[in-house]
Amino acid sequence: MDLTTPVSELTRVGKTASKILESLGIKNIKDLLHYFPFRYEDYRAIVDISQLRDGELVTICGQVELIANKRSFKTKRVITEALVSDKTGSVRVVWFNQPFILKSIKSGDRVYLSGKVKVDMLGAQLVSPVYEKYKKDTTHTARLVPIYPLIYGLTQKQIRFLISQIIPLADTIADWLPKDIIEAMDLVPLANALRGIHFPVDEHDLQLSTDRLKFNELFLVQIKSELSRQEKAALKAPVIMFQEEEIKKFVASLPFILTKTQKISAWEILQDISKVSPMNRLISGDVGSGKTVVAAMSMYNVFLNGYQSVMMAPTEILAYQHYQSLIRLFSNIPIRIGLLTRSQSQKVHITQSGNGEDAAATKKKIISDIKSGDVDIMVGTHALLSESVNFKNLGLVIVDEQHRFGVEQRKEIKNKAIRSKGKGKSAHFLSMTATPIPRSLALMVYGDLDVSIISELPPGRKKIITKLVEPLSRDKAYGFIRDQVKQGRQVFVVCPLIESDSMAQFPNNNLEKKSVLSEYEKLSKQVFPDLRVQYLHGKLKAKEKEEIMVRFKAGEFDILATTSVIEVGVDVPNASVMMIEGAESFGLAQLHQFRGRVGRSIYQSYCLLFTSSGSEKSLQRLKFFEGENNGFKLAEKDLEIRGPGEVYGTEQSGEMNLRLAKLTDRELIKKARDAAKVIVSDLQKFSSVLQQVRDWEVKTHLE
Ligand code: ADP
Ligand code: MG
């Protein structure tokens, strides 16, 4: 028997069991060794029978006095009853529907039993305990017992039995991690780790074993990013020289002074794009920290060098808003700016928006302008990724709110940056996100990216006051809103759903989830019949959405009932109240984004949360949100509560194929990075590591 032996050849694996294992990708012994427990039951303490207490999880060691099957009158189930004693007393034991126990345990046997104690009128009893005959090295009892993610059709005992058979083979697995790293990082050898994760001697052993296996994963992620970094470094990008004088003039023309971290970020970008290898940088900055203007500076510099830029946004509303802001920012500069979304295209400084031409013709003209170089900056949605869109001399690709694009789309965008330039070349690449990412996490998720962090908000912003409002105080809240409107402010009301019947998709969901359309009815007819209320949601046509946003921005409505379409980017400085219905339906990072729609000017702003959920957990989460204004802290908390999959998209964390390691394993992440740094310059020499990366990639690919 060796690592490549098929699982079907193990003792006591039938055809069915090996089929089940295979369906999980467990084909041979090596695969099975890598099927890890997800928790452990602590059955180490051997308790005297006289000391059994109700409700405790215990192990006893004793002799079977009697054991027999009988059939229950009422339920027709088979009940196995036994009496087990040690020198301090005896205890009744009962199992249900496991008549075969009689085959393995006979009276007179010495056994370990691990399970829960139940005390009734007749004294203590063990109900359905795990049993094992007395021996020195136990598998199922009297130790830290591994509990595996259940495989349908197999019991814990069966899985444990299979793994206990093969665990000695762990010693034959070659440790692929270089010795120096193992030593320097204080790791245990791979074989020890494999033994320790399945059958830990104690907590310390378990900790060391888990750390080693987590380290493996994190280290491979690092190596993989390094390889892709090296690949990218081989590409050539246009050199964009820093046009200091013009950039300074532009900055001086802004109606505000850049914050320190805006300046640093801009400087980092301008440095990067002046090099021949393509920039790959992420700007991470809290909502409202002013990322757009940094992007604009970069695009301006690219324009001054005679290249085109493209800026992509995840929604049409946001694309249109960027288009408008850029036109404003560059009002004194002859930059030709175009907009292209699925349903919309326009361009300034040549043909004024549309100009009565029909839409198809405008679109065609813009696509041809992109190709001939008659537009300098293109703003749009993924419509820009269409085959027909080809740039003449693309210098910079910017993706705003990049976490809102899917993995496939992000790949397409990157490919576009590369394809547009021909073989071996690429445009520079900048992504931006307002879902703040703790630095360690950013390095992990985007290991092959450089990160700039805009860590402060522009001065003068007032702290947004957040309140979780009791259902009974709803009228008071409406009174407050009316008051704000009287003072000239505007209000967002965010609801989780568009229309009530869309709840059909969530059969088990809370029926009280608010929908935009019914909320709009209520607000406009009952609560605020005298105010100007409008609704907005993602299913409206792009033109309608735009028009509503433009009019809201212009102050034509007081209250906008909407969905998460306004989650990212939307900038309406006059709005001072963000009211969120069904707040429990949103993640903390998302709530923070909503909150970021207000407080974008000098007015004191408010975020009012409503929830119909009585769940203690969601209330706690909302309470935390109430007291925390720092997006980074919220993102970390979100990570803790919901895990990276939900916060940053399953694809992003799934991509890395982490099975044990968590993105919150900060210390290990740092260790893995440090270790990777040592060998990256000479990676080709470490063939066992490279082989491991390849195996791992194949595996990820198959899963
Ligand atoms: P985000 O980082 O969320 O994309 P924006 O770029 O939309 O933020 O900027 C938010 C608002 O702050 C905009 O109205 C912008 O004009 C303004 N702004 C940006 N930088 C500064 C600054 N340094 N001082 C004052 N206001 C600024
Ligand atoms: Mg933005």
Side-chain angles (χ1 to χ4, degrees):
M1 203 160 70
D2 64 29
L3 294 169
T4 59
T5 307
V7 281
S8 56
E9 289 174 26
L10 288 171
T11 328
R12 282 211 246 152
V13 175
K15 259 221 163 82
T16 344
S18 57
K19 276 236 173 70
I20 295 170
L21 289 172
E22 240 171 79
S23 72
L24 285 166
I26 303 173
K27 297 200 176 64
N28 58 28
I29 289 184
K30 188 172 174 195
D31 298 334
L32 189 55
L33 271 176
H34 285 86
Y35 191 72
F36 300 139
F38 73 106
R39 67 180 182 90
Y40 303 81
E41 208 75 82
D42 187 353
Y43 281 136
R44 282 172 300 180
I46 309 234
V47 176
D48 285 346
I49 290 177
S50 63
Q51 300 300 313
L52 297 180
R53 303 246 180 291
D54 192 37
E56 280 177 346
L57 275 181
V58 297
T59 300
I60 61 162
C61 180
Q63 182 147 346
V64 180
E65 307 288 348
L66 303 162
I67 184 159
N69 283 338
K70 73 174 200 192
R71 195 170 282 277
S72 148
F73 258 148
K74 270 186 280 174
T75 59
K76 302 274 178 276
R77 289 195 293 180
V78 176
I79 302 178
T80 308
E81 288 181 326
L83 190 67
V84 176
S85 57
D86 66 8
K87 55 184 189 308
T88 70
S90 53
V91 62
R92 290 169 299 137
V93 185
V94 57
W95 290 276
F96 301 102
N97 278 339
Q98 301 182 52
F100 47 83
I101 290 179
L102 280 191
K103 288 205 179 107
S104 33
I105 303 183
K106 307 238 171 342
S107 41
D109 283 347
R110 222 173 144 202
V111 291
Y112 282 116
L113 298 173
S114 291
K116 199 167 195 169
V117 180
K118 205 174 132 194
V119 174
D120 58 20
M121 285 181 322
L122 300 171
Q125 189 182 24
L126 283 175
V127 181
S128 301
V130 187
Y131 57 91
E132 190 168 21
K133 275 204 187 154
Y134 179 83
K135 60 177 154 194
K136 209 168 130 267
D137 287 319
T138 52
T139 308
H140 310 291
T141 58
R143 59 167 308 124
L144 280 174
V145 177
I147 310 287
Y148 293 88
L150 213 55
I151 301 177
Y152 180 74
L154 292 180
T155 64
Q156 289 293 338
K157 250 189 146 160
Q158 283 171 305
I159 303 172
R160 248 180 257 137
F161 173 73
L162 293 179
I163 294 181
S164 68
Q165 276 183 73
I166 60 167
I167 203 77
L169 288 171
D171 289 319
T172 65
I173 292 190
D175 200 334
W176 50 269
L177 207 56
K179 277 223 161 46
D180 297 348
I181 291 184
I182 295 183
E183 266 167 37
M185 297 295 151
D186 235 348
L187 300 167
V188 296
L190 186 55
N192 297 29
L194 286 170
R195 257 184 275 122
I197 194 156
H198 289 293
F199 297 107
V201 177
D202 54 23
E203 281 97 348
H204 184 62
D205 183 29
L206 178 59
Q207 177 80 50
L208 291 178
S209 305
T210 316
D211 279 358
R212 166 63 210 263
L213 295 168
K214 283 179 170 183
F215 183 90
N216 284 3
E217 295 175 354
L218 296 168
F219 181 73
L220 289 177
V221 172
Q222 298 297 334
I223 297 291
K224 217 167 89 175
S225 345
E226 180 56 31
L227 287 171
S228 79
R229 186 195 286 272
Q230 287 177 4
E231 231 165 74
K232 253 172 242 145
L235 293 170
K236 293 229 175 336
V239 170
I240 309 289
M241 299 305 290
F242 179 25
Q243 305 295 329
E244 193 170 349
E245 214 166 295
E246 281 90 341
I247 295 290
K248 277 195 170 146
K249 249 192 258 165
F250 174 72
V251 170
S253 78
L254 294 171
F256 44 74
I257 297 171
L258 292 179
T259 62
K260 190 166 146 226
T261 41
Q262 276 176 319
K263 278 187 206 152
I264 294 174
S265 302
W267 190 82
E268 285 169 340
I269 294 166
L270 294 172
Q271 286 292 308
D272 275 5
I273 61 180
S274 71
K275 298 184 182 136
V276 289
S277 54
M279 169 174 75
N280 193 18
R281 184 171 283 279
L282 170 76
I283 303 184
S284 164
D286 209 341
V287 187
S289 59
K291 295 180 289 293
T292 317
V293 67
V294 174
M297 279 167 72
S298 322
M299 292 193 283
Y300 182 42
N301 198 46
V302 169
F303 159 76
L304 293 171
N305 279 264
Y307 287 94
Q308 295 167 296
S309 298
V310 59
M311 183 168 182
M312 299 202 28
T315 64
E316 298 197 325
I317 292 178
L318 193 51
Y320 186 71
Q321 183 185 289
H322 280 325
Y323 175 66
Q324 297 269 306
S325 332
L326 293 176
I327 290 173
R328 220 171 336 123
L329 280 169
F330 295 129
S331 53
N332 297 318
I333 299 168
I335 299 187
R336 298 159 300 180
I337 306 172
L339 174 73
L340 185 70
T341 65
R342 189 166 45 84
S343 49
Q344 243 303 58
S345 52
Q346 45 190 289
K347 183 170 156 215
V348 283
H349 295 300
I350 285 193
T351 44
Q352 280 303 328
S353 43
N355 245 359
E357 296 169 41
D358 74 278
T362 315
K363 188 164 182 175
K364 216 165 142 200
K365 173 80 169 66
I366 286 191
I367 289 177
S368 99
D369 285 351
I370 296 173
K371 192 164 182 186
S372 60
D374 287 314
V375 60
D376 306 305
I377 293 178
M378 274 310 298
V379 184
T381 55
H382 48 260
L384 283 165
L385 292 175
S386 135
E387 291 282 336
S388 59
V389 177
N390 290 296
F391 287 83
K392 176 161 185 252
N393 54 358
L394 189 58
L396 174 63
V397 175
I398 299 180
V399 181
D400 192 20
E401 309 291 354
Q402 69 104 27
H403 60 285
R404 293 282 301 242
F405 288 91
V407 168
E408 277 312 308
Q409 277 175 341
R410 284 203 301 266
K411 269 188 198 142
E412 267 178 67
I413 298 170
K414 286 232 160 120
N415 282 340
K416 186 115 206 159
I418 293 172
R419 258 204 337 265
S420 65
K421 308 297 296 177
K423 210 171 160 15
K425 292 188 187 154
S426 172
H428 296 286
F429 190 81
L430 177 68
S431 47
M432 306 199 280
T433 182
T435 292
I437 300 175
R439 186 161 206 114
S440 62
L441 182 65
L443 290 172
M444 193 62 217
V445 185
Y446 313 102
D448 55 341
L449 269 189
D450 294 304
V451 182
S452 295
I453 294 185
I454 303 186
S455 59
E456 72 225 295
L457 294 180
R461 299 262 171 91
K462 291 207 176 63
K463 198 171 141 193
I464 299 166
I465 296 173
T466 305
K467 271 263 171 299
L468 179 58
V469 185
E470 300 278 331
L472 288 175
S473 307
R474 183 173 278 274
D475 286 342
K476 230 167 108 191
Y478 285 142
F480 177 76
I481 285 177
R482 180 181 299 281
D483 214 49
Q484 286 284 307
V485 172
K486 284 228 175 82
Q487 290 175 39
R489 300 289 76 72
Q490 288 165 287
V491 177
F492 289 102
V493 178
V494 170
C495 307
L497 297 176
I498 297 179
E499 39 195 342
S500 304
D501 65 14
S502 47
M503 268 182 303
Q505 300 161 24
F506 309 90
N508 300 321
N509 228 319
N510 176 353
L511 284 172
E512 300 194 27
K513 269 200 174 164
K514 302 264 178 168
S515 78
V516 170
L517 296 180
S518 55
E519 208 52 23
Y520 166 73
E521 285 289 305
K522 185 180 117 188
L523 294 175
S524 60
K525 300 218 168 97
Q526 295 164 29
V527 189
F528 300 118
D530 51 329
L531 302 183
R532 297 163 306 168
V533 185
Q534 173 61 36
Y535 66 85
L536 173 70
H537 59 72
K539 292 243 172 81
L540 295 175
K541 292 209 179 72
K543 260 262 179 273
E544 294 172 313
K545 283 188 270 190
E546 247 161 43
E547 196 188 306
I548 292 167
M549 279 318 292
V550 168
R551 292 177 60 194
F552 189 54
K553 224 170 158 150
E556 291 183 32
F557 313 114
D558 305 307
I559 298 176
L560 188 65
T562 178
T563 58
S564 57
V565 279
I566 55 97
E567 177 185 343
V568 291
V570 169
D571 190 35
V572 181
N574 187 49
S576 69
V577 182
M578 167 58 65
M579 172 167 170
I580 304 172
E581 298 283 1
E584 76 283 354
S585 338
F586 303 104
L588 290 177
Q590 207 179 359
L591 289 172
H592 185 60
Q593 289 277 2
F594 291 140
R595 178 163 62 186
R597 298 309 119 226
V598 295
R600 299 173 82 86
S601 63
I602 50 162
Y603 306 116
Q604 176 60 56
S605 294
Y606 306 86
C607 178
L608 307 179
L609 306 171
F610 286 83
T611 177
S612 52
S613 158
S615 134
E616 191 52 34
K617 227 171 140 187
S618 28
L619 286 181
Q620 256 178 21
R621 207 163 57 93
L622 296 175
K623 279 273 169 214
F624 182 82
F625 180 74
E626 200 178 25
E628 185 57 73
N629 264 300
N630 182 316
F632 285 81
K633 296 244 170 73
L634 285 166
E636 292 204 359
K637 186 76 174 180
D638 230 4
L639 263 177
E640 224 178 277
I641 303 176
R642 299 192 307 154
E646 282 199 45
V647 181
Y648 297 105
T650 352
E651 312 100 317
Q652 283 182 40
S653 42
E655 238 172 357
M656 295 186 292
N657 192 26
L658 297 180
R659 297 205 290 162
L660 292 170
K662 302 227 158 44
L663 295 169
T664 40
D665 285 326
R666 270 155 238 277
E667 225 159 278
L668 279 172
I669 291 173
K670 179 162 186 319
K671 270 190 173 182
R673 279 185 73 72
D674 291 348
K677 265 191 217 135
V678 176
I679 68 164
V680 287
S681 52
D682 251 342
L683 213 48
Q684 300 311 321
K685 273 200 205 146
F686 296 88
S687 55
S688 63
V689 173
L690 288 175
Q691 184 59 44
Q692 197 66 27
V693 173
R694 272 192 292 272
D695 289 355
W696 191 53
E697 264 169 357
V698 169
K699 217 172 178 137
T700 318
H701 196 73
L702 292 177
E703 269 167 10

